[in-house]
Amino acid sequence: LVRILSEWKRRGALDDSLKLQKQNTSIVFLGNVIDGSPYIFETLTLVLALMHANPTRVFYLQGLHEYGGFW
């Protein structure tokens, strides 16, 4: 995720405050962002920061790992 966002920043699609810069651009997370990774907290924090900076353009859909004991 960090590599992708860094590339978007390099291309001018994202700024330092995580605001999307290109018109008609959205991000959709298709769930399962949290999993068995040791970086769950950092990943979720980054996703939430993207959502906060772009409330009408970043979406997070629940996946199987967001249900039950994982969440």
Side-chain angles (χ1 to χ4, degrees):
L1 178 59
V2 171
R3 282 190 293 253
I4 291 168
L5 295 177
S6 295
E7 179 62 20
W8 281 16
K9 183 175 181 256
R10 189 187 71 74
R11 293 181 183 199
L14 193 68
D15 69 11
D16 288 333
S17 66
L18 300 177
K19 278 210 130 338
L20 293 169
Q21 298 299 305
K22 303 258 181 173
Q23 294 291 338
N24 301 320
T25 301
S26 296
I27 300 173
V28 179
F29 291 96
L30 299 176
N32 299 335
V33 169
I34 59 171
D35 197 353
S37 164
Y39 302 104
I40 294 169
F41 179 74
E42 292 85 350
T43 302
L44 187 56
T45 300
L46 182 52
V47 170
L48 292 173
L50 282 163
M51 291 174 71
H52 181 72
N54 306 279
T56 62
R57 298 172 65 190
V58 176
F59 307 94
Y60 184 0
L61 305 175
Q62 276 187 323
L64 292 176
H65 293 157
E66 284 81 20
Y67 290 102
F70 288 105
W71 191 250

Short mmCIF file of all heavy atoms in Angstrom, two decimals:
data_model
loop_
_atom_site.label_atom_id
_atom_site.label_comp_id
_atom_site.label_asym_id
_atom_site.label_seq_id
_atom_site.Cartn_x
_atom_site.Cartn_y
_atom_site.Cartn_z
N LEU A 1 0.83 -1.19 0.00
CA LEU A 1 0.00 0.00 0.00
C LEU A 1 0.87 1.25 0.00
O LEU A 1 0.62 2.18 -0.76
CB LEU A 1 -0.95 -0.01 1.20
CG LEU A 1 -1.85 1.20 1.38
CD1 LEU A 1 -2.75 1.40 0.16
CD2 LEU A 1 -2.68 1.06 2.64
N VAL A 2 1.90 1.26 0.82
CA VAL A 2 2.79 2.42 0.88
C VAL A 2 3.49 2.63 -0.46
O VAL A 2 3.62 3.77 -0.93
CB VAL A 2 3.81 2.27 2.03
CG1 VAL A 2 4.87 3.36 1.99
CG2 VAL A 2 3.09 2.30 3.37
N ARG A 3 3.93 1.55 -1.09
CA ARG A 3 4.58 1.68 -2.41
C ARG A 3 3.62 2.25 -3.45
O ARG A 3 4.00 3.11 -4.25
CB ARG A 3 5.11 0.33 -2.88
CG ARG A 3 6.40 -0.07 -2.23
CD ARG A 3 7.00 -1.28 -2.92
NE ARG A 3 6.15 -2.44 -2.72
CZ ARG A 3 6.43 -3.45 -1.93
NH1 ARG A 3 7.57 -3.47 -1.27
NH2 ARG A 3 5.61 -4.46 -1.78
N ILE A 4 2.39 1.79 -3.44
CA ILE A 4 1.40 2.30 -4.40
C ILE A 4 1.14 3.78 -4.15
O ILE A 4 1.13 4.59 -5.09
CB ILE A 4 0.08 1.49 -4.29
CG1 ILE A 4 0.30 0.08 -4.80
CG2 ILE A 4 -1.04 2.18 -5.07
CD1 ILE A 4 -0.84 -0.87 -4.47
N LEU A 5 0.92 4.16 -2.90
CA LEU A 5 0.64 5.56 -2.59
C LEU A 5 1.85 6.44 -2.89
O LEU A 5 1.70 7.58 -3.34
CB LEU A 5 0.21 5.70 -1.13
CG LEU A 5 -1.12 5.01 -0.78
CD1 LEU A 5 -1.42 5.16 0.70
CD2 LEU A 5 -2.27 5.53 -1.62
N SER A 6 3.06 5.94 -2.68
CA SER A 6 4.27 6.70 -3.03
C SER A 6 4.34 6.94 -4.53
O SER A 6 4.71 8.03 -4.97
CB SER A 6 5.52 5.95 -2.56
OG SER A 6 5.56 5.86 -1.17
N GLU A 7 3.98 5.95 -5.30
CA GLU A 7 3.97 6.10 -6.76
C GLU A 7 2.91 7.11 -7.19
O GLU A 7 3.14 7.93 -8.07
CB GLU A 7 3.74 4.75 -7.43
CG GLU A 7 3.70 4.80 -8.94
CD GLU A 7 4.98 5.28 -9.60
OE1 GLU A 7 6.06 5.24 -8.97
OE2 GLU A 7 4.92 5.72 -10.76
N TRP A 8 1.74 7.06 -6.56
CA TRP A 8 0.69 8.04 -6.87
C TRP A 8 1.17 9.45 -6.54
O TRP A 8 0.90 10.39 -7.28
CB TRP A 8 -0.58 7.72 -6.10
CG TRP A 8 -1.38 6.61 -6.69
CD1 TRP A 8 -0.97 5.68 -7.60
CD2 TRP A 8 -2.73 6.30 -6.40
NE1 TRP A 8 -1.98 4.82 -7.89
CE2 TRP A 8 -3.07 5.17 -7.17
CE3 TRP A 8 -3.67 6.85 -5.56
CZ2 TRP A 8 -4.33 4.60 -7.12
CZ3 TRP A 8 -4.93 6.28 -5.51
CH2 TRP A 8 -5.25 5.17 -6.28
N LYS A 9 1.91 9.59 -5.43
CA LYS A 9 2.44 10.90 -5.06
C LYS A 9 3.45 11.37 -6.11
O LYS A 9 3.44 12.52 -6.53
CB LYS A 9 3.08 10.84 -3.68
CG LYS A 9 3.59 12.17 -3.21
CD LYS A 9 4.10 12.10 -1.79
CE LYS A 9 4.58 13.45 -1.37
NZ LYS A 9 6.01 13.59 -1.36
N ARG A 10 4.32 10.48 -6.54
CA ARG A 10 5.32 10.81 -7.55
C ARG A 10 4.65 11.27 -8.84
O ARG A 10 5.13 12.17 -9.52
CB ARG A 10 6.20 9.59 -7.82
CG ARG A 10 7.41 9.88 -8.71
CD ARG A 10 8.16 8.63 -9.08
NE ARG A 10 7.45 7.78 -10.01
CZ ARG A 10 7.29 8.02 -11.32
NH1 ARG A 10 7.76 9.10 -11.86
NH2 ARG A 10 6.64 7.17 -12.09
N ARG A 11 3.51 10.68 -9.17
CA ARG A 11 2.79 11.04 -10.39
C ARG A 11 1.86 12.24 -10.22
O ARG A 11 1.18 12.64 -11.15
CB ARG A 11 1.96 9.85 -10.87
CG ARG A 11 2.80 8.69 -11.33
CD ARG A 11 1.93 7.56 -11.80
NE ARG A 11 2.73 6.42 -12.18
CZ ARG A 11 2.29 5.45 -12.94
NH1 ARG A 11 1.05 5.48 -13.40
NH2 ARG A 11 3.07 4.44 -13.24
N GLY A 12 1.80 12.80 -9.01
CA GLY A 12 0.97 13.97 -8.76
C GLY A 12 -0.49 13.67 -8.49
O GLY A 12 -1.33 14.56 -8.48
N ALA A 13 -0.82 12.41 -8.23
CA ALA A 13 -2.21 12.03 -7.96
C ALA A 13 -2.57 12.15 -6.49
O ALA A 13 -3.74 12.13 -6.13
CB ALA A 13 -2.45 10.60 -8.44
N LEU A 14 -1.55 12.32 -5.63
CA LEU A 14 -1.75 12.37 -4.19
C LEU A 14 -0.76 13.38 -3.62
O LEU A 14 0.38 13.44 -4.07
CB LEU A 14 -1.48 10.98 -3.61
CG LEU A 14 -1.89 10.65 -2.20
CD1 LEU A 14 -3.41 10.62 -2.06
CD2 LEU A 14 -1.31 9.31 -1.77
N ASP A 15 -1.19 14.19 -2.64
CA ASP A 15 -0.25 15.14 -2.04
C ASP A 15 0.22 14.63 -0.68
O ASP A 15 -0.16 13.54 -0.23
CB ASP A 15 -0.85 16.55 -1.98
CG ASP A 15 -1.98 16.70 -0.99
OD1 ASP A 15 -2.22 15.78 -0.17
OD2 ASP A 15 -2.65 17.74 -1.03
N ASP A 16 1.04 15.44 -0.01
CA ASP A 16 1.62 15.04 1.27
C ASP A 16 0.57 14.84 2.36
O ASP A 16 0.79 14.11 3.32
CB ASP A 16 2.64 16.07 1.75
CG ASP A 16 3.93 16.02 0.94
OD1 ASP A 16 4.25 14.94 0.40
OD2 ASP A 16 4.60 17.05 0.85
N SER A 17 -0.58 15.50 2.23
CA SER A 17 -1.63 15.36 3.23
C SER A 17 -2.61 14.24 2.88
O SER A 17 -3.68 14.14 3.46
CB SER A 17 -2.38 16.69 3.41
OG SER A 17 -3.07 17.02 2.22
N LEU A 18 -2.24 13.42 1.90
CA LEU A 18 -3.03 12.26 1.43
C LEU A 18 -4.30 12.66 0.66
O LEU A 18 -5.19 11.85 0.49
CB LEU A 18 -3.38 11.31 2.58
CG LEU A 18 -2.20 10.70 3.32
CD1 LEU A 18 -2.71 9.84 4.47
CD2 LEU A 18 -1.34 9.89 2.38
N LYS A 19 -4.37 13.89 0.20
CA LYS A 19 -5.52 14.32 -0.60
C LYS A 19 -5.31 13.91 -2.05
O LYS A 19 -4.24 14.11 -2.62
CB LYS A 19 -5.70 15.82 -0.52
CG LYS A 19 -6.42 16.27 0.71
CD LYS A 19 -7.15 17.50 0.41
CE LYS A 19 -8.49 17.81 0.64
NZ LYS A 19 -9.62 17.20 0.85
N LEU A 20 -6.34 13.31 -2.62
CA LEU A 20 -6.30 12.96 -4.03
C LEU A 20 -6.31 14.23 -4.87
O LEU A 20 -7.11 15.13 -4.63
CB LEU A 20 -7.49 12.07 -4.38
CG LEU A 20 -7.50 10.69 -3.73
CD1 LEU A 20 -8.83 10.01 -3.94
CD2 LEU A 20 -6.37 9.84 -4.30
N GLN A 21 -5.44 14.30 -5.85
CA GLN A 21 -5.28 15.51 -6.65
C GLN A 21 -5.89 15.42 -8.03
O GLN A 21 -6.13 16.43 -8.67
CB GLN A 21 -3.78 15.84 -6.80
CG GLN A 21 -3.11 16.13 -5.47
CD GLN A 21 -3.73 17.33 -4.79
OE1 GLN A 21 -3.80 18.41 -5.36
NE2 GLN A 21 -4.22 17.14 -3.57
N LYS A 22 -6.14 14.24 -8.52
CA LYS A 22 -6.70 14.07 -9.87
C LYS A 22 -8.22 14.02 -9.79
O LYS A 22 -8.78 13.33 -8.95
CB LYS A 22 -6.17 12.79 -10.50
CG LYS A 22 -4.67 12.72 -10.58
CD LYS A 22 -4.19 13.02 -11.94
CE LYS A 22 -2.67 12.92 -11.95
NZ LYS A 22 -2.11 13.03 -13.23
N GLN A 23 -8.86 14.76 -10.66
CA GLN A 23 -10.33 14.73 -10.74
C GLN A 23 -10.80 13.33 -11.10
O GLN A 23 -10.10 12.60 -11.79
CB GLN A 23 -10.82 15.72 -11.80
CG GLN A 23 -10.55 17.16 -11.44
CD GLN A 23 -11.40 17.61 -10.26
OE1 GLN A 23 -12.44 17.04 -9.96
NE2 GLN A 23 -10.95 18.65 -9.58
N ASN A 24 -11.98 13.00 -10.66
CA ASN A 24 -12.60 11.71 -10.99
C ASN A 24 -11.76 10.51 -10.56
O ASN A 24 -11.77 9.47 -11.22
CB ASN A 24 -12.92 11.62 -12.49
CG ASN A 24 -13.86 12.72 -12.91
OD1 ASN A 24 -14.80 13.06 -12.19
ND2 ASN A 24 -13.61 13.32 -14.05
N THR A 25 -10.99 10.67 -9.49
CA THR A 25 -10.20 9.57 -8.96
C THR A 25 -10.74 9.19 -7.59
O THR A 25 -10.98 10.06 -6.75
CB THR A 25 -8.72 9.96 -8.82
OG1 THR A 25 -8.22 10.32 -10.10
CG2 THR A 25 -7.89 8.83 -8.26
N SER A 26 -10.93 7.92 -7.37
CA SER A 26 -11.39 7.40 -6.09
C SER A 26 -10.55 6.19 -5.73
O SER A 26 -9.89 5.60 -6.58
CB SER A 26 -12.86 6.99 -6.15
OG SER A 26 -13.68 8.11 -6.40
N ILE A 27 -10.57 5.83 -4.46
CA ILE A 27 -9.93 4.61 -3.99
C ILE A 27 -11.00 3.77 -3.32
O ILE A 27 -11.76 4.27 -2.48
CB ILE A 27 -8.80 4.92 -2.98
CG1 ILE A 27 -7.72 5.78 -3.62
CG2 ILE A 27 -8.20 3.61 -2.44
CD1 ILE A 27 -6.66 6.25 -2.64
N VAL A 28 -11.06 2.50 -3.68
CA VAL A 28 -12.00 1.57 -3.07
C VAL A 28 -11.20 0.41 -2.50
O VAL A 28 -10.51 -0.30 -3.24
CB VAL A 28 -13.05 1.06 -4.09
CG1 VAL A 28 -13.99 0.08 -3.42
CG2 VAL A 28 -13.81 2.22 -4.71
N PHE A 29 -11.27 0.24 -1.20
CA PHE A 29 -10.66 -0.92 -0.55
C PHE A 29 -11.73 -1.99 -0.47
O PHE A 29 -12.81 -1.77 0.08
CB PHE A 29 -10.17 -0.55 0.86
CG PHE A 29 -9.00 0.39 0.84
CD1 PHE A 29 -9.20 1.76 0.97
CD2 PHE A 29 -7.71 -0.08 0.66
CE1 PHE A 29 -8.12 2.64 0.95
CE2 PHE A 29 -6.63 0.78 0.64
CZ PHE A 29 -6.83 2.15 0.78
N LEU A 30 -11.43 -3.15 -1.02
CA LEU A 30 -12.42 -4.22 -1.12
C LEU A 30 -12.37 -5.18 0.06
O LEU A 30 -12.62 -6.36 -0.07
CB LEU A 30 -12.22 -4.98 -2.44
CG LEU A 30 -12.38 -4.14 -3.69
CD1 LEU A 30 -12.07 -4.96 -4.93
CD2 LEU A 30 -13.78 -3.54 -3.77
N GLY A 31 -12.09 -4.65 1.23
CA GLY A 31 -12.10 -5.46 2.44
C GLY A 31 -10.82 -6.22 2.65
O GLY A 31 -9.87 -6.14 1.87
N ASN A 32 -10.77 -6.94 3.74
CA ASN A 32 -9.63 -7.77 4.12
C ASN A 32 -8.35 -6.95 4.26
O ASN A 32 -7.26 -7.46 4.01
CB ASN A 32 -9.44 -8.93 3.15
CG ASN A 32 -10.64 -9.84 3.13
OD1 ASN A 32 -11.40 -9.91 4.08
ND2 ASN A 32 -10.85 -10.51 2.02
N VAL A 33 -8.49 -5.68 4.65
CA VAL A 33 -7.32 -4.85 4.89
C VAL A 33 -6.60 -5.34 6.15
O VAL A 33 -5.39 -5.37 6.20
CB VAL A 33 -7.73 -3.36 5.04
CG1 VAL A 33 -6.59 -2.51 5.55
CG2 VAL A 33 -8.23 -2.84 3.70
N ILE A 34 -7.38 -5.74 7.15
CA ILE A 34 -6.76 -6.30 8.35
C ILE A 34 -6.68 -7.80 8.18
O ILE A 34 -7.60 -8.45 7.70
CB ILE A 34 -7.53 -5.91 9.62
CG1 ILE A 34 -8.97 -6.40 9.57
CG2 ILE A 34 -7.50 -4.41 9.83
CD1 ILE A 34 -9.71 -6.25 10.86
N ASP A 35 -5.55 -8.35 8.52
CA ASP A 35 -5.31 -9.78 8.35
C ASP A 35 -4.24 -10.18 9.35
O ASP A 35 -4.08 -9.52 10.36
CB ASP A 35 -4.88 -10.04 6.90
CG ASP A 35 -5.02 -11.51 6.51
OD1 ASP A 35 -5.31 -12.34 7.39
OD2 ASP A 35 -4.82 -11.83 5.35
N GLY A 36 -3.47 -11.16 9.05
CA GLY A 36 -2.46 -11.66 9.97
C GLY A 36 -1.14 -10.91 9.90
O GLY A 36 -0.16 -11.34 10.48
N SER A 37 -1.09 -9.80 9.20
CA SER A 37 0.14 -9.03 9.05
C SER A 37 0.57 -8.41 10.38
O SER A 37 -0.27 -8.04 11.20
CB SER A 37 -0.09 -7.93 8.02
OG SER A 37 0.92 -6.95 8.11
N PRO A 38 1.87 -8.25 10.59
CA PRO A 38 2.32 -7.56 11.80
C PRO A 38 2.08 -6.04 11.72
O PRO A 38 2.32 -5.33 12.68
CB PRO A 38 3.81 -7.87 11.86
CG PRO A 38 4.20 -8.21 10.47
CD PRO A 38 2.98 -8.81 9.83
N TYR A 39 1.60 -5.54 10.58
CA TYR A 39 1.39 -4.11 10.37
C TYR A 39 -0.09 -3.75 10.25
O TYR A 39 -0.46 -2.80 9.58
CB TYR A 39 2.14 -3.64 9.12
CG TYR A 39 3.61 -3.91 9.22
CD1 TYR A 39 4.18 -4.95 8.50
CD2 TYR A 39 4.43 -3.15 10.05
CE1 TYR A 39 5.54 -5.22 8.60
CE2 TYR A 39 5.78 -3.41 10.16
CZ TYR A 39 6.33 -4.45 9.43
OH TYR A 39 7.66 -4.72 9.53
N ILE A 40 -0.95 -4.50 10.91
CA ILE A 40 -2.40 -4.26 10.84
C ILE A 40 -2.74 -2.84 11.30
O ILE A 40 -3.47 -2.12 10.62
CB ILE A 40 -3.18 -5.28 11.69
CG1 ILE A 40 -3.03 -6.67 11.11
CG2 ILE A 40 -4.65 -4.90 11.78
CD1 ILE A 40 -3.54 -7.76 12.03
N PHE A 41 -2.21 -2.44 12.43
CA PHE A 41 -2.53 -1.12 12.98
C PHE A 41 -2.09 -0.01 12.03
O PHE A 41 -2.84 0.93 11.76
CB PHE A 41 -1.89 -0.94 14.35
CG PHE A 41 -2.16 0.40 14.96
CD1 PHE A 41 -3.41 0.70 15.48
CD2 PHE A 41 -1.17 1.37 14.99
CE1 PHE A 41 -3.67 1.95 16.03
CE2 PHE A 41 -1.42 2.61 15.54
CZ PHE A 41 -2.68 2.91 16.06
N GLU A 42 -0.87 -0.12 11.51
CA GLU A 42 -0.34 0.90 10.61
C GLU A 42 -1.15 0.97 9.31
O GLU A 42 -1.44 2.05 8.81
CB GLU A 42 1.13 0.64 10.30
CG GLU A 42 2.05 0.83 11.49
CD GLU A 42 2.17 -0.38 12.39
OE1 GLU A 42 1.40 -1.36 12.23
OE2 GLU A 42 3.03 -0.34 13.30
N THR A 43 -1.50 -0.20 8.79
CA THR A 43 -2.29 -0.24 7.55
C THR A 43 -3.66 0.36 7.77
O THR A 43 -4.11 1.20 6.97
CB THR A 43 -2.42 -1.70 7.05
OG1 THR A 43 -1.12 -2.25 6.86
CG2 THR A 43 -3.20 -1.77 5.76
N LEU A 44 -4.32 -0.02 8.83
CA LEU A 44 -5.65 0.51 9.11
C LEU A 44 -5.58 2.02 9.37
O LEU A 44 -6.44 2.77 8.91
CB LEU A 44 -6.27 -0.21 10.30
CG LEU A 44 -7.73 0.14 10.59
CD1 LEU A 44 -8.62 -0.10 9.38
CD2 LEU A 44 -8.23 -0.64 11.78
N THR A 45 -4.55 2.48 10.06
CA THR A 45 -4.38 3.91 10.31
C THR A 45 -4.21 4.67 9.00
O THR A 45 -4.80 5.74 8.81
CB THR A 45 -3.16 4.15 11.23
OG1 THR A 45 -3.39 3.49 12.47
CG2 THR A 45 -2.94 5.63 11.48
N LEU A 46 -3.46 4.12 8.08
CA LEU A 46 -3.26 4.76 6.78
C LEU A 46 -4.56 4.81 5.98
O LEU A 46 -4.91 5.83 5.39
CB LEU A 46 -2.17 4.04 5.99
CG LEU A 46 -1.81 4.60 4.62
CD1 LEU A 46 -1.49 6.09 4.69
CD2 LEU A 46 -0.64 3.82 4.04
N VAL A 47 -5.30 3.72 5.97
CA VAL A 47 -6.60 3.69 5.28
C VAL A 47 -7.55 4.71 5.87
O VAL A 47 -8.21 5.46 5.15
CB VAL A 47 -7.21 2.27 5.32
CG1 VAL A 47 -8.64 2.27 4.82
CG2 VAL A 47 -6.37 1.30 4.50
N LEU A 48 -7.61 4.78 7.20
CA LEU A 48 -8.49 5.75 7.85
C LEU A 48 -8.05 7.19 7.57
O LEU A 48 -8.88 8.08 7.39
CB LEU A 48 -8.57 5.48 9.34
CG LEU A 48 -9.27 4.18 9.73
CD1 LEU A 48 -9.15 3.93 11.23
CD2 LEU A 48 -10.72 4.20 9.30
N ALA A 49 -6.75 7.43 7.50
CA ALA A 49 -6.24 8.77 7.17
C ALA A 49 -6.63 9.15 5.74
O ALA A 49 -7.01 10.30 5.47
CB ALA A 49 -4.73 8.83 7.35
N LEU A 50 -6.55 8.20 4.82
CA LEU A 50 -6.99 8.45 3.44
C LEU A 50 -8.48 8.77 3.39
O LEU A 50 -8.90 9.68 2.68
CB LEU A 50 -6.70 7.23 2.56
CG LEU A 50 -5.28 7.05 2.09
CD1 LEU A 50 -5.06 5.62 1.60
CD2 LEU A 50 -4.95 8.05 0.99
N MET A 51 -9.26 8.03 4.16
CA MET A 51 -10.71 8.27 4.20
C MET A 51 -11.01 9.64 4.80
O MET A 51 -11.89 10.35 4.30
CB MET A 51 -11.40 7.17 5.01
CG MET A 51 -11.37 5.82 4.34
SD MET A 51 -12.02 4.50 5.37
CE MET A 51 -13.75 4.92 5.37
N HIS A 52 -10.27 10.02 5.83
CA HIS A 52 -10.49 11.31 6.47
C HIS A 52 -10.13 12.47 5.52
O HIS A 52 -10.83 13.48 5.47
CB HIS A 52 -9.66 11.40 7.75
CG HIS A 52 -9.84 12.68 8.49
ND1 HIS A 52 -10.99 12.98 9.19
CD2 HIS A 52 -9.01 13.74 8.63
CE1 HIS A 52 -10.86 14.17 9.72
NE2 HIS A 52 -9.67 14.66 9.40
N ALA A 53 -9.04 12.32 4.78
CA ALA A 53 -8.59 13.37 3.85
C ALA A 53 -9.48 13.46 2.61
O ALA A 53 -9.52 14.50 1.95
CB ALA A 53 -7.14 13.11 3.44
N ASN A 54 -10.18 12.37 2.28
CA ASN A 54 -10.99 12.30 1.06
C ASN A 54 -12.33 11.63 1.36
O ASN A 54 -12.62 10.54 0.86
CB ASN A 54 -10.26 11.48 -0.01
CG ASN A 54 -8.88 11.99 -0.27
OD1 ASN A 54 -8.69 12.94 -1.00
ND2 ASN A 54 -7.89 11.37 0.35
N PRO A 55 -13.17 12.25 2.19
CA PRO A 55 -14.37 11.57 2.69
C PRO A 55 -15.37 11.14 1.61
O PRO A 55 -16.13 10.21 1.84
CB PRO A 55 -14.99 12.58 3.64
CG PRO A 55 -14.39 13.88 3.31
CD PRO A 55 -13.04 13.60 2.71
N THR A 56 -15.35 11.76 0.46
CA THR A 56 -16.30 11.37 -0.59
C THR A 56 -15.64 10.59 -1.71
O THR A 56 -16.29 10.26 -2.70
CB THR A 56 -16.98 12.62 -1.20
OG1 THR A 56 -15.97 13.45 -1.81
CG2 THR A 56 -17.73 13.40 -0.13
N ARG A 57 -14.34 10.27 -1.54
CA ARG A 57 -13.62 9.62 -2.64
C ARG A 57 -12.85 8.37 -2.25
O ARG A 57 -12.26 7.72 -3.09
CB ARG A 57 -12.68 10.63 -3.27
CG ARG A 57 -13.46 11.81 -3.86
CD ARG A 57 -12.58 12.92 -4.33
NE ARG A 57 -11.75 12.51 -5.43
CZ ARG A 57 -10.76 13.25 -5.88
NH1 ARG A 57 -10.47 14.40 -5.34
NH2 ARG A 57 -10.03 12.82 -6.89
N VAL A 58 -12.83 8.03 -0.95
CA VAL A 58 -12.16 6.81 -0.50
C VAL A 58 -13.19 5.98 0.24
O VAL A 58 -13.85 6.46 1.16
CB VAL A 58 -10.94 7.11 0.40
CG1 VAL A 58 -10.33 5.83 0.93
CG2 VAL A 58 -9.90 7.92 -0.36
N PHE A 59 -13.31 4.72 -0.17
CA PHE A 59 -14.35 3.83 0.36
C PHE A 59 -13.71 2.55 0.85
O PHE A 59 -12.77 2.04 0.26
CB PHE A 59 -15.38 3.52 -0.73
CG PHE A 59 -15.94 4.75 -1.37
CD1 PHE A 59 -15.37 5.25 -2.53
CD2 PHE A 59 -16.99 5.42 -0.79
CE1 PHE A 59 -15.87 6.40 -3.13
CE2 PHE A 59 -17.50 6.57 -1.37
CZ PHE A 59 -16.93 7.07 -2.54
N TYR A 60 -14.27 2.02 1.92
CA TYR A 60 -13.75 0.80 2.53
C TYR A 60 -14.94 -0.16 2.71
O TYR A 60 -15.81 0.07 3.53
CB TYR A 60 -13.12 1.16 3.87
CG TYR A 60 -12.45 0.03 4.63
CD1 TYR A 60 -12.39 -1.26 4.15
CD2 TYR A 60 -11.87 0.29 5.85
CE1 TYR A 60 -11.76 -2.26 4.87
CE2 TYR A 60 -11.24 -0.70 6.58
CZ TYR A 60 -11.19 -1.97 6.08
OH TYR A 60 -10.57 -2.95 6.79
N LEU A 61 -14.94 -1.23 1.93
CA LEU A 61 -15.98 -2.24 2.02
C LEU A 61 -15.51 -3.36 2.94
O LEU A 61 -14.35 -3.76 2.88
CB LEU A 61 -16.30 -2.79 0.64
CG LEU A 61 -16.69 -1.76 -0.42
CD1 LEU A 61 -16.86 -2.44 -1.77
CD2 LEU A 61 -17.94 -1.03 -0.01
N GLN A 62 -16.40 -3.84 3.77
CA GLN A 62 -16.03 -4.93 4.67
C GLN A 62 -15.77 -6.21 3.90
O GLN A 62 -16.50 -6.56 2.97
CB GLN A 62 -17.16 -5.20 5.66
CG GLN A 62 -17.15 -4.31 6.85
CD GLN A 62 -18.20 -4.75 7.86
OE1 GLN A 62 -19.28 -5.18 7.49
NE2 GLN A 62 -17.87 -4.63 9.12
N GLY A 63 -14.74 -6.90 4.32
CA GLY A 63 -14.44 -8.23 3.81
C GLY A 63 -14.62 -9.25 4.92
O GLY A 63 -15.06 -8.91 6.02
N LEU A 64 -14.26 -10.46 4.65
CA LEU A 64 -14.42 -11.53 5.65
C LEU A 64 -13.58 -11.28 6.90
O LEU A 64 -13.97 -11.65 8.00
CB LEU A 64 -14.06 -12.87 5.04
CG LEU A 64 -15.02 -13.39 3.97
CD1 LEU A 64 -14.50 -14.68 3.38
CD2 LEU A 64 -16.41 -13.57 4.53
N HIS A 65 -12.40 -10.65 6.76
CA HIS A 65 -11.55 -10.44 7.92
C HIS A 65 -12.03 -9.30 8.81
O HIS A 65 -11.53 -9.15 9.93
CB HIS A 65 -10.11 -10.17 7.47
CG HIS A 65 -9.49 -11.37 6.84
ND1 HIS A 65 -8.44 -11.28 5.96
CD2 HIS A 65 -9.78 -12.69 6.92
CE1 HIS A 65 -8.10 -12.48 5.56
NE2 HIS A 65 -8.91 -13.36 6.12
N GLU A 66 -12.97 -8.51 8.35
CA GLU A 66 -13.52 -7.45 9.18
C GLU A 66 -14.71 -7.93 10.02
O GLU A 66 -15.28 -7.16 10.78
CB GLU A 66 -13.95 -6.25 8.33
CG GLU A 66 -12.81 -5.40 7.85
CD GLU A 66 -12.10 -5.94 6.63
OE1 GLU A 66 -12.68 -6.77 5.90
OE2 GLU A 66 -10.95 -5.56 6.40
N TYR A 67 -15.05 -9.17 9.90
CA TYR A 67 -16.14 -9.74 10.69
C TYR A 67 -15.57 -10.56 11.84
O TYR A 67 -14.46 -11.06 11.77
CB TYR A 67 -17.02 -10.66 9.83
CG TYR A 67 -17.84 -9.92 8.82
CD1 TYR A 67 -17.47 -9.87 7.50
CD2 TYR A 67 -19.00 -9.28 9.21
CE1 TYR A 67 -18.22 -9.18 6.57
CE2 TYR A 67 -19.77 -8.58 8.30
CZ TYR A 67 -19.38 -8.54 6.97
OH TYR A 67 -20.15 -7.85 6.06
N GLY A 68 -16.34 -10.69 12.88
CA GLY A 68 -16.01 -11.60 13.97
C GLY A 68 -14.74 -11.25 14.70
O GLY A 68 -14.44 -10.10 14.98
N GLY A 69 -13.95 -12.26 15.01
CA GLY A 69 -12.77 -12.12 15.85
C GLY A 69 -11.65 -11.27 15.26
O GLY A 69 -10.84 -10.72 16.00
N PHE A 70 -11.55 -11.18 13.93
CA PHE A 70 -10.49 -10.37 13.35
C PHE A 70 -10.68 -8.90 13.66
O PHE A 70 -9.74 -8.17 13.87
CB PHE A 70 -10.45 -10.55 11.82
CG PHE A 70 -9.92 -11.88 11.38
CD1 PHE A 70 -10.77 -12.85 10.91
CD2 PHE A 70 -8.56 -12.15 11.45
CE1 PHE A 70 -10.29 -14.06 10.50
CE2 PHE A 70 -8.07 -13.38 11.04
CZ PHE A 70 -8.93 -14.34 10.57
N TRP A 71 -11.90 -8.42 13.63
CA TRP A 71 -12.17 -6.99 13.79
C TRP A 71 -12.09 -6.61 15.24
O TRP A 71 -11.61 -5.62 15.64
CB TRP A 71 -13.53 -6.66 13.20
CG TRP A 71 -13.79 -5.20 13.07
CD1 TRP A 71 -14.66 -4.47 13.79
CD2 TRP A 71 -13.16 -4.27 12.17
NE1 TRP A 71 -14.64 -3.16 13.41
CE2 TRP A 71 -13.73 -3.01 12.41
CE3 TRP A 71 -12.18 -4.38 11.21
CZ2 TRP A 71 -13.35 -1.87 11.72
CZ3 TRP A 71 -11.81 -3.26 10.52
CH2 TRP A 71 -12.39 -2.03 10.76
#
